[in-house]
Amino acid sequence: MWQTWQQAMTAALYGPGGFYVRGERPAAHFRTSVHTSGRYAAAVLALLREVDAALGQPARLDLVDIGAGQGELLSQVLAAAG
């Protein structure tokens, strides 16, 4: 059956067995610096400490991880801060 590009991509991504409906973790498909080494988390922690000091160590300082993962970066930063 002939399909347009849009129909084929929609089926591949969202159809039965599609990429986004299989429920697999993003780390199963790609790697970022967070997945390969703890050095990235250590660098983020060092920067966070500098920002905290520059702000006079406020009572609350939020670090927000906006990404496609499962919170690996924040987990590693918390572990490094240990």
Side-chain angles (χ1 to χ4, degrees):
M1 177 174 147
W2 187 88
Q3 293 182 334
T4 66
W5 177 257
Q6 182 178 3
Q7 290 169 329
M9 287 303 296
T10 299
L13 296 175
Y14 302 103
F19 182 79
Y20 290 119
V21 297
R22 290 192 306 234
E24 297 168 344
R25 295 179 57 168
H29 300 286
F30 63 88
R31 295 284 183 255
T32 67
S33 54
V34 172
H35 299 109
T36 60
S37 170
R39 291 180 183 173
Y40 188 74
V44 170
L45 179 59
L47 180 59
L48 183 62
R49 286 179 171 155
E50 287 183 32
V51 169
D52 187 44
L55 293 174
Q57 298 181 322
R60 179 177 172 171
L61 178 63
D62 294 331
L63 172 63
V64 180
D65 178 11
I66 301 174
Q70 299 289 316
E72 293 95 345
L73 174 60
L74 291 180
S75 296
Q76 289 183 23
V77 169
L78 287 172

